[in-house]
Amino acid sequence: INWLIKPFTMAALGVLFGAVSAAESTGATLLPLLLFPALTPVMLGGTQSLERALHDSPEDAWPWIRLLALVAVIAVSGGALAYEWLVER
């Protein structure tokens, strides 16, 4: 599940913040500043869930997978809610 949620979430966040920064004149410098803090829980959750699943019992990975799923839901719903505003800009 980790291998499915993490790339999907990273893509959703990248598209959302890419669209936000494309409308600004300083978009090239704004994108990493917006994207890095948002990707931190995704990378942390992905690495911790994989480590827990491989080295500990697989049940220990579920809280981290839930974190990944929560960030994915927030990214996709945020993009869906901001779509009309982003298209107008």
Side-chain angles (χ1 to χ4, degrees):
I1 292 179
N2 180 9
W3 298 101
L4 297 173
I5 298 174
K6 191 169 69 171
F8 177 74
T9 306
M10 291 174 71
L13 287 171
V15 168
L16 176 63
F17 290 127
V20 169
S21 67
E24 301 295 325
S25 61
T26 58
T29 58
L30 186 62
L31 180 62
L33 293 175
L34 291 173
L35 196 56
F36 181 71
L39 286 179
T40 302
V42 176
M43 298 305 290
L44 181 66
T47 55
Q48 289 296 319
S49 66
L50 186 61
E51 180 181 348
R52 302 274 191 260
L54 292 178
H55 298 295
D56 299 335
S57 64
E59 292 83 22
D60 293 339
W62 284 109
W64 293 103
I65 292 174
R66 279 190 226 116
L67 173 70
L68 283 172
L70 176 68
V71 174
V73 167
I74 290 171
V76 170
S77 61
L81 291 174
Y83 175 76
E84 187 174 331
W85 178 76
L86 290 172
V87 170
E88 288 175 1
R89 291 184 81 192

